[in-house]
Each structure stands twice: as C-alpha cells, then as structure tokens.
Amino acid sequence: MTKYVYRFGGGVNDGEVAGIGGDKNLLGGKGANLDGMAAIGLPVPPGFTITTEMCTRYYADGETYPESLNAEVAAGIAHIEGVTGKRFGNAADPLLVSVRSGARVSMPGMMDTVLNLGLNDETVEGLAATSGDARFAWDSYRRFIQMYSDVVLGLDHAAFEEALEVAKEDAGFTLDTEMSANDWQALVAEYKALVQKQWGKPFPQDVHEQLWGAIGAVFGSWQAERAKVYRRLNGIPGDWGTAVNVQAMVFGNMGETSATGVAFTRDPATGENAYYGEYLINAQGEDVVAGIRTPQYLTKAARERAGAKPLSMEEAMPETYAELARVFQILETHYRDMQDIEFTVQQGKLWMLQTRSGKRTAKAALKIAVDMATEGLISEEEAVARVDPAALDQLLHPTLDPKAPRDVLTKGLPASPGAASGQIVFDAENAERLNELGEAVILVRIETSPEDIHGMHAAKGILTARGGMTSHAAVVARGMGRPCVSGAGGIAIDMEAQLLKVGGRALKAGDIITIDGGTGEVMAGEVPTVQPELAGDFGTLMIWADKVRRLKVRANAETPLDCKTAREFGAEGVGLCRTEHMFFDAARITAVRQMILAETEKGRREALAKLLPEQRADFTAIFIEMAGLPVTIRLLDPPLHEFLPHGDGEFAEVAEAAGVSIELLKRRAAELHEFNPMLGHRGCRLGVTYPEIYEMQARAIFEAAIAVAEQSGEAPIPEVMIPLVATKRELELMKAVVDAAAQAVFADKGRTIDYLVGTMIELPRAALMAGEIAEVGAFFSFGTNDLTQTTIGISRDDAGRFLTSYVDKGIFARDPFVSLDVEGVGQLIQLAAERGRATRPDVKLGICGEHGGDPASIDFCEKTGLDYVSASPYRVPIARLAAAQAALAARSK
Ligand code: ADP
Ligand code: MG
Ligand code: MG
C-alpha cells in the first residue's frame, strides 16, 4: 500500500526514515524542507505532509481519495496532538493547525494558506481560557473565518473586509490593534452571517469537515485557472501535483513578546553577507507581506541605515534574535545556499515555518556564489554551476539606478539589455550627425532595416514600434550591445511632424527619453544609470569557468571596436566577421552600388578597385585587435538588392560615379529585383556569378594579414568562409578563387601566412553532403540562423507574426531562432559533424548565429563535440559560463 502521509517534528521524521526527507518531488518544496529542518533539530511545529503523489492519484481517480487516506490523516493529527498535548476539536484545550500548499517549486497561483483551522464557537472559548487572552482568541477566530471563506469556500472577500472596516469605523478606531475581544467577537457574528448569506449554509463547526475542506481546496487549486496559466508560462508539467502540509499553529499574535517575520540569510539584492529581513511584533502570518502594518527591520544596522525609529528585532528581542541568527548559520551550512526563511516567535520562543533557497538578483547571485566558494561552503565548480548565464546579461550593461524616479511612458519588449538615455531622433542620418557632435541619441523607428545600421551604431539605444525579439532591430542591437526596446505598440511615430506620440503625450525630436532594454520600459527624461562591474566577482567567476570549459568561445564581430570589446570579454577569436556591414558605410555605399549595377565584369572591377583599399583597411584594423587569434571572415553574403539605391538622389550619385545614365541604372536595378531574395542570388551564388567580388575580398584579407604580420610580428590566422554552400563544387570553385588571390598576394609580397578556407553549413543539403564538402573545406561553421530558416522553412523576417502562437501552443518549446531546435535542426548539425569528421578528422567545427550565445544551444554544442561557439561580443561572457556549465554537466554523466 502506498504511503501518502509523512509526519515531521517532535522527534519524528518519516521522510528521513524513508530516506526521502529532502525529496521535493514527493513532499513538495515546503514539506521537504520542513521535514529537513525538523530532522536537524531546528524548532519546527509538528505536522505532516500529504504527498504530491496523492494529488496526482486524486485527479486520476476522478477527484476522490483512497480509503486508506482517512486513517493516515488521522494518524498525522494524532502525531501533532501527541507532541503538543492539545486535541483537535477539544473544547477545553484545542489544537489549531495551518493548512498549506506546497508544490515542487514555489508556485504563486496555488491555494493561500489557511491559518487557525480548528476554531469554532466552542474551541474559541477554550483558546481564550488556555491563553488567558480572549482578545487573541477572537482575533484568531475572525481571521480563520475570513481566510477559510475566501480560499476554501471561495466567497467574496471584499464583503468581509468591508465588515471589518465598518466595525472599526463605528468604534472610532483606525488600527486593528485597537479592537477589543468584544469587538472581535461581534465581528465573528457578522462574518458567520455573511457566510450563511453567501454560501447558503452555516460556517462549518465540525473541525474535521474544516480540515478535509482545506485539503480538498489545496488539491483543487492545482487545477485552478491561475495555477494552470502559471505552469504554462513557466514550463511546469501538469502532472507534478502539489503536496498539502498540515502543521500545528504557533502564534505570533500573543502580545508584545510574540512576532512573525521573513528573512534572508544574505541580502538578496546585493548579495552582501548580512542578514536581511522584516518582522512585526504581535502579528500573524502574512501580515508582514500583506502591508497591513509597516514591518520593522530585522537588524540594527539595517534600521540605522534606513534612519527608521521602530526597534529592530536585534534590539527589541536580542535573545530570540541571537537564536534566529544561529539558525541562519545552521541552515546555510545545511543547504549550502542562501536561504529565504519564514519564522514566528510565540511568547519569546522561536519557531521555523519555512526555508528555501532564496531568489536573488543577478548581481547577488554572482556575489553569493563567489563568496560561498571563497568561504569554502561550496566548490568553485559549484559556484560556476550556480549562476544563470542568461542573468549575466543584466550585469554587462549599464542599468538604471534603482533609486531614481521614473516617468514611464510605455512598455515594449526587452529586446537588448542595458539602459540608455538620449535625444529622440527619427532617422539614421540624424543619429549619425548628432553623434558626431557628441550628442547622445535614441534612434526611434517604426522598425529598422539594414540601412539603419550606421544610425544604430551611432545611437545609445534603439526604440521600435514594431517587431519582436528576433526582429532586425533586436538582433542587430544585441550584436552591437546597444540597449533596445522593440515592438513598443503603445507608441505612434509621426515622421512628418517629427513627433513621438504615446499615451496622449507628444514628444518632439530632440526631447530626451530613456529606455531600459532589460525590462522594455520607455521613460520620459533622463534616468541616471549605474555602470557594470567587470572586475571583482565577475572576473573571478569567469576565471573559474574557464578552468572547466572545453569549448572555445569566439565573437561575431565586424568592427575594430566590436573586436576590442569581444577581446576584453574574453573572446578567443572571431567566429563570424560579416563583410556586408562594411559595405553599408556611407563613404563606400556609392562604390558598392556602382559595382552591383555594373553590367560588365570590367565595370564591376572598376568599382571593386575603389573598395579594395577600404576593405584592406577594415581587415587590417580587425587583425590588429585580434593579433594571434583566428578570425573567420565570411565573404559577401546578402542579396544584392539590399544595397540598391533608393531615391533619385542616390541614383544620381551612383550615375555620376559610374559615368552612366540614371535610366540605365534604374533598368538594371529593376532587373535585380527578386521574388524571394532569401533563397535567391546571394551567398556563394554571388561569388560563382561574379568571382571578382570574392577575389577582391580575398585579396584585401591577405594583404591586410601580411601587413599586420610585418608590422606586429604576430600573424593573424584568417579563416576565409564561403557562405550558403550547397554542393562540393561550389566550394571548390570559390576555394580556387581564394587560393589564387592568396598566391598572387604571397608572390607580390614575398611572404606567406597560414590561412584556411572553409564554409558555412546553413542549408540542409550542405549538412547532408558534409562528408564530401569536407574534402574541400577545412572548417565548418554552422550558420544556425539560416539553417533553422531553411530546415523548418520559416522565414525569420516574417516569423514574428505567428511564432508566438506556435510557442504558446507548445508546437515549439522556445523560439527556434533564439534557442536551437535541438530535436530537428540539431540532427542536421550532428550528422554534418559526423560526416565531416569521417572525411577530415581535424575539420574545425563551430557555430555562429544567435544560438552561439544561448546557454541551451551551447549545451547542445558541447554534447555534439563542436570546437567553438561564436556569440555577439556582449554575450561572450555568457557563452563562457554556459560552456563551462555544459562541460560540468557532460562530466557528471
Ligand atoms: P506561502 O507559500 O504563501 O508562503 P505559507 O504556507 O508559507 O504560504 O504560509 C504563509 C504564512 O502563514 C507563513 O509565512 C507563516 O507566517 C504563516 N503560517 C503558516 N503555517 C503556520 C503555522 N503552523 N503557525 C503559524 N503561522 C503559520
Ligand atoms: Mg501565499
Ligand atoms: Mg511561505
């Protein structure tokens, strides 16, 4: 017969005896830790836990209990009676209990706790007599009726609150504490009348009926709408179930020597190793959190820092406080983590009601992990495993000063973290112009496109009205480390009037706004920020992470500044240098357009000759920053039409540079139009049709590499990457172009350098044919953005419109452009890695694209045995930590 009830407290610990004392899966988080605390001798009121298994069975059996549960619950009550010497339902000396829900993970949405269960018209008199405090007894009874009616009977609690308000008003009181025993007793009568009226039955007087009602309500709350919503949002399976905890009441509301409080063993905001908490004298349960009275500080130091008058617990109850501090130490040592604790003091005696690992800010998580490892409480590896890599994101960017006031205009998506303030500008040109004048600007667009890149670079932050988390603005901003709020649907942009309209207000170009890319908030005016701290704890944790990491971490970077940032963040090379961004530069775009629109090879070569010195300068600057490290340069990739001129003015500029007519150019531009550019004339298809483009780029790479080698004595290691290859032959042709350029430059300069030619694997065919492709390519870089797009057949530029529903409906667990679709796309990567290695055992394997900075995807890369991941510069530390965690996880298998 399955055991469903586990007792704890008073020297009995069924969970410990059964060896499942700490098992949150069976006892729920609260139950497991109540059991755990009782087992190590801490003062825990006795009680019992009905397991989560019972909850699951309850639903499987059509919301009924097995026969055996009655006896088990009765034995549980008998246990509590034995320890406390009180009897459940006994009129002379009644036992009161709390009934508390407790799933595996803390879950708002579950039933609220019912306190003081076991009170009725008779037992309330007994409680008054044994406590010698009638006021306390009637206060407890009215609390019980109110809570029970609300959470178990589901009655309208506003009516109860109103009755209390009216009672106080009639008596001329403002505080609950002014109410006398008689006042409470009168209110109880009113409450009972309210129950009769709303529920149609009298308030249950039978304590067993009360108990089973509460147990049923806890199990019932597992399938409540709000609990389901919470589970869906947090990926909690529906079959976990909740446990029920029934526990002897202890009373924090028995006068001035009683209190209730919550505490953290370290500061959950800063991580500082100092107790942190609040308490209330003569109060019960959730009074502290409910804000009925202003709680007092736990420690003297915190009270003094806040300049508050009411005594801290340390001062008001020094002995109990010392006992509590001792318990904090024991709990931290036992659970080896910062604890979030609930306690009650009944007439000077301390009781522990809950402990769990405390939630904390990213900053605190980092500090606590490093401190605990330094203190010897946990190992360095555990410290590495404990910090959520994604949370580091918050720490690597300036953040809003939490103390500063905010005038929030609206909220969009938190697309790229960090906070920034600046003048509103509505176009990239103005952003660049004002930036050159030393002004801070926020670029505000309906949405952004590749042409806005220079403006995004010039801006301190980006705000868009449309577009999701993987929109152009979001992806590019993350890559650049610019804060970005995207999809702020609450704003309207009037380009003509140069106005930003939001919630009935209108802001002009030049007005200052602040955006917080970590929360999505958009605020009027400047909100001060605080700078990130990269040395200290952060640096220490990174060193520990690097000790266990196997995967190398590179950066996606295409400017010297990006490279510098990436190196400071610990990048071990460039995994993806996209050359097209260089083409958008204002000084070059005309030559680029001339090249694209040329009708002959000769025309193209003329334009390319103008670009060669510019490209060489780009690569030289990058190689200098990345001296001694590998740099993967991807030759031109995007559809040519992205570079086309727009207005007449731009056509005229190109016409003049090329010495041809505007009409001719316009005709040529029309010819370049494509129906489906993503699958069109792009990637190596450009190099196949116009080899001179790749030839120029390769030449620029080798000339730059040799120049840097000669200057610095440290040769860079260029890895020339051919994009969008589907066949071995394409790569062969392109490799021949690159090799010929290399030979020509080497002959010219009289020296050689090492280099590699490889390809991106971003088409399913390339993955399938990887064995053959590896005969030519020395490395593969998985271009998972395009590989996801081409494998699933979802356009990433259009996915925003429907992908959210796909995630909501569970078709994809997460946006496959953010976190790699390991199941599907992952198979192609595994297969390509295997086939590539079978042909060429030392083929270098890496991943570039958004996934290179996503911890779950990095874990997959570790499992697949890739050599490196490449992430945007600001995500390099995240990738280093995630790679270390992946290595630890692999090792523990
Ligand atoms: P939650 O999950 O919302 O924190 P709890 O079950 O922890 O709910 O209960 C909330 C509060 O009720 C506790 O912090 C404590 O103050 C009070 N409480 C619960 N059980 C008891 C008890 N046996 N004696 C006294 N107070 C209790
Ligand atoms: Mg609660
Ligand atoms: Mg609690």
Side-chain angles (χ1 to χ4, degrees):
M1 206 181 66
T2 316
K3 181 175 165 66
Y4 291 113
V5 170
Y6 288 80
R7 304 167 302 167
F8 58 81
V12 176
N13 276 92
D14 291 346
E16 299 301 316
V17 173
I20 53 126
D23 187 356
K24 298 191 164 99
N25 295 355
L26 194 64
L27 299 181
K30 203 175 282 165
N33 287 355
L34 282 170
D35 188 276
M37 286 197 289
I40 55 172
L42 296 182
V44 172
F48 61 88
T49 302
I50 310 178
T51 63
T52 59
E53 236 169 54
M54 183 64 247
C55 182
T56 310
R57 172 156 181 193
Y58 172 76
Y59 281 106
D61 293 355
E63 305 187 18
T64 59
Y65 304 109
E67 273 280 326
S68 62
L69 190 66
N70 267 319
E72 281 197 84
V73 167
I77 290 288
H79 160 66
I80 305 178
E81 288 174 340
V83 178
T84 58
K86 296 175 187 296
R87 306 211 144 263
F88 194 47
N90 182 293
D93 187 10
L95 165 68
L96 305 190
V97 296
S98 66
V99 177
R100 319 169 66 183
S101 60
R104 288 190 202 185
V105 290
S106 166
M107 228 180 92
M110 296 295 300
M111 190 197 82
D112 289 326
T113 299
V114 176
L115 301 179
N116 309 324
L117 189 142
L119 279 174
N120 58 27
D121 295 349
E122 285 177 1
T123 55
V124 66
E125 302 287 2
L127 184 65
T130 53
S131 66
D133 188 345
R135 184 189 176 282
F136 153 73
W138 285 99
D139 177 26
S140 301
Y141 192 20
R142 68 90 195 177
R143 284 173 190 261
F144 170 53
I145 300 177
Q146 190 174 354
M147 278 191 192
Y148 196 90
S149 303
D150 177 15
V151 306
V152 180
L153 304 181
L155 306 184
D156 172 24
H157 63 107
F160 291 82
E161 275 155 29
E162 205 180 292
L164 171 57
E165 283 314 306
V166 170
K168 276 199 289 190
E169 226 164 82
D170 288 352
F173 301 149
T174 48
L175 295 174
D176 287 7
T177 42
E178 292 169 279
M179 299 276 280
S180 69
N182 285 338
D183 296 327
W184 287 130
Q185 188 169 1
L187 190 65
V188 163
E190 274 189 59
Y191 276 3
K192 286 199 298 182
L194 270 174
V195 172
Q196 177 72 52
K197 191 168 137 224
Q198 283 193 34
W199 195 42
K201 281 188 274 182
F203 186 80
Q205 292 291 315
D206 177 352
V207 296
H208 293 280
E209 184 189 339
Q210 291 174 358
L211 178 63
W212 283 100
I215 292 171
V218 173
F219 285 148
S221 70
W222 180 253
Q223 294 296 3
E225 211 40 51
R226 58 180 185 155
K228 285 193 209 166
V229 169
Y230 184 83
R231 285 202 289 275
R232 204 180 317 132
L233 292 176
N234 292 277
I236 298 171
D239 62 2
W240 276 8
T242 179
V244 184
N245 301 290
V246 178
Q247 187 177 28
M249 280 302 298
V250 287
F251 300 99
N253 55 339
M254 284 185 85
E256 295 304 305
T257 54
S258 300
T260 185
V262 295
F264 290 83
T265 54
R266 305 194 184 208
D267 188 322
T270 63
E272 193 196 343
N273 191 358
Y275 306 139
Y276 175 96
E278 295 174 333
Y279 84 114
L280 269 178
I281 291 182
N282 197 10
Q284 191 175 45
E286 308 214 90
D287 290 0
V288 175
V289 260
I292 298 171
R293 280 159 55 194
T294 311
Q296 293 159 232
Y297 290 93
L298 200 67
T299 63
K300 183 165 178 253
R303 177 185 72 78
E304 285 174 347
R305 208 178 327 160
K309 285 261 150 50
L311 286 189
S312 67
M313 182 172 174
E314 189 175 2
E315 297 157 298
M317 310 181 155
E319 277 161 40
T320 324
Y321 174 81
E323 168 72 2
L324 185 63
R326 192 183 67 87
V327 170
F328 287 164
Q329 287 310 310
I330 294 173
L331 284 175
E332 264 209 0
T333 313
H334 185 70
Y335 289 106
R336 304 169 71 243
D337 196 3
M338 183 263 268
Q339 295 296 296
D340 167 355
I341 289 159
E342 296 173 6
F343 65 90
T344 281
V345 180
Q346 178 179 330
Q347 296 180 319
K349 163 126 181 72
L350 175 70
W351 293 98
M352 302 308 298
L353 293 173
Q354 188 169 338
T355 190
R356 60 184 161 194
S357 284
K359 294 233 185 323
R360 60 206 81 180
T361 62
K363 185 175 169 202
L366 182 64
K367 178 159 173 55
I368 290 171
V370 171
D371 281 355
M372 286 190 166
T374 312
E375 290 158 22
L377 196 57
I378 60 177
S379 69
E380 287 178 8
E381 292 183 359
E382 280 175 291
V384 166
R386 275 193 191 177
V387 177
D388 175 10
L392 283 185
D393 219 6
Q394 291 175 29
L395 302 178
L396 301 173
H397 300 272
T399 47
L400 292 179
D401 183 345
K403 286 180 236 95
R406 303 173 190 198
D407 172 9
V408 178
L409 294 168
T410 186
K411 213 170 161 188
L413 299 170
S416 176
S421 304
Q423 298 183 21
I424 298 174
V425 290
F426 292 105
D427 61 77
E429 283 63 42
N430 271 318
E432 203 163 40
R433 189 176 56 77
L434 286 166
N435 179 51
E436 275 161 17
L437 297 174
E439 303 283 349
V441 300
I442 303 290
L443 179 64
V444 181
R445 304 281 289 161
I446 294 175
E447 54 198 346
T448 63
S449 73
E451 292 162 68
D452 292 323
I453 285 179
H454 61 287
M456 296 172 79
H457 233 289
K460 294 279 177 283
I462 297 131
L463 168 63
T464 69
R466 264 192 243 142
M469 295 289 287
T470 54
S471 64
H472 179 268
V475 172
V476 173
R478 283 197 291 271
M480 289 178 180
R482 290 288 177 288
C484 173
V485 173
S486 69
I491 65 172
I493 298 170
D494 183 340
M495 281 302 269
E496 210 158 310
Q498 295 276 291
L499 286 179
L500 168 65
K501 294 183 182 157
V502 52
R505 294 163 74 171
L507 292 94
K508 303 184 296 298
D511 286 353
I512 306 281
I513 54 169
T514 299
I515 60 167
D516 183 345
T519 62
E521 276 178 347
V522 182
M523 290 139 283
E526 180 172 344
V527 182
T529 54
V530 283
Q531 287 304 313
E533 167 65 74
L534 297 185
D537 295 331
F538 176 82
T540 307
L541 192 79
M542 282 295 131
I543 293 170
W544 295 345
D546 287 348
K547 281 195 211 163
V548 292
R549 166 164 70 87
R550 180 195 67 80
L551 278 168
K552 295 262 183 216
V553 175
R554 297 195 192 180
N556 299 347
E558 43 242 349
T559 66
L561 183 66
D562 286 347
C563 291
K564 188 163 177 286
T565 312
R567 241 192 145 151
E568 278 166 10
F569 280 143
E572 297 162 296
V574 168
L576 177 65
C577 171
R578 307 177 181 92
T579 49
E580 58 268 22
H581 288 177
M582 303 168 175
F583 280 33
F584 277 111
D585 190 285
R588 313 179 186 171
I589 187 74
T590 306
V592 172
R593 287 171 175 157
Q594 182 189 342
M595 184 263 297
I596 291 164
L597 294 171
E599 282 191 296
T600 60
E601 184 185 330
K602 181 166 161 293
R604 270 190 300 278
R605 282 195 184 274
E606 269 171 38
L608 286 166
K610 292 187 203 167
L611 290 170
L612 175 65
E614 304 273 358
Q615 280 262 278
R616 190 170 51 223
D618 293 332
F619 296 139
T620 306
I622 288 171
F623 288 150
I624 289 172
E625 289 296 343
M626 302 309 287
L629 297 177
V631 178
T632 306
I633 298 169
R634 179 178 71 185
L635 301 187
L636 197 63
D637 177 58
L640 287 182
H641 82 107
E642 280 191 13
F643 299 98
L644 289 181
H646 291 283
D648 283 344
E650 288 183 3
F651 272 105
E653 264 175 49
V654 181
E656 197 192 318
V660 297
S661 73
I662 294 183
E663 288 61 45
L664 187 109
L665 286 184
K666 287 198 168 163
R667 177 173 56 73
R668 186 71 187 123
E671 279 168 21
L672 283 173
H673 171 80
E674 290 182 299
F675 287 104
N676 203 343
M678 264 306 153
L679 301 176
H681 196 185
R682 57 167 291 216
C684 69
R685 298 159 200 171
L686 296 172
V688 169
T689 45
Y690 307 134
E692 52 280 5
I693 300 179
Y694 280 12
E695 186 192 313
M696 180 282 286
Q697 292 196 293
R699 189 167 252 287
I701 292 169
F702 295 117
E703 289 179 356
I706 288 184
V708 171
E710 277 170 358
Q711 268 172 39
S712 69
E714 209 174 356
I717 311 158
E719 299 181 351
V720 183
M721 181 153 79
I722 313 296
L724 216 73
V725 159
T727 70
K728 174 185 165 188
R729 183 69 185 142
E730 285 169 317
L731 186 58
E732 249 168 18
L733 287 171
M734 296 301 96
K735 181 168 185 297
V737 171
V738 174
D739 286 341
Q743 290 315 313
V745 173
F746 295 165
D748 220 34
K749 305 279 175 199
R751 80 173 276 175
T752 65
I753 49 149
D754 292 333
Y755 70 97
L756 299 175
V757 180
T759 181
M760 271 180 113
I761 301 284
E762 50 190 335
L763 294 175
R765 189 182 198 283
L768 296 169
M769 300 305 290
E772 228 183 79
I773 291 173
E775 289 169 18
V776 184
F779 65 87
F780 292 166
S781 174
F782 292 97
T784 46
N785 293 348
D786 263 320
L787 189 59
T788 300
Q789 174 162 265
T790 53
T791 301
I792 310 181
I794 287 182
S795 148
R796 112 187 213 254
D797 304 305
D798 302 308
R801 296 199 194 137
F802 54 86
L803 215 51
T804 333
S805 324
Y806 265 59
V807 174
D808 283 350
K809 298 199 165 139
I811 299 171
F812 291 120
R814 288 183 63 192
D815 180 339
F817 291 107
V818 174
S819 195
L820 192 72
D821 161 35
V822 168
E823 251 186 2
V825 178
Q827 281 193 47
L828 283 172
I829 296 176
Q830 269 161 344
L831 189 141
E834 273 164 34
R835 293 188 181 173
R837 281 196 168 127
T839 306
R840 187 191 286 259
D842 65 343
V843 63
K844 224 191 234 190
L845 301 175
I847 180 175
C848 55
E850 285 283 290
H851 303 101
D854 168 62
S857 311
I858 291 170
D859 188 62
F860 169 81
C861 294
E862 169 69 34
K863 289 200 187 96
T864 314
L866 300 193
D867 298 305
Y868 68 87
V869 298
S870 188
S872 58
Y874 280 86
R875 292 192 78 86
V876 165
I878 297 170
R880 284 162 71 192
L881 182 57
Q885 292 183 352
L888 288 174
R891 208 192 287 171
S892 72
K893 283 222 178 79

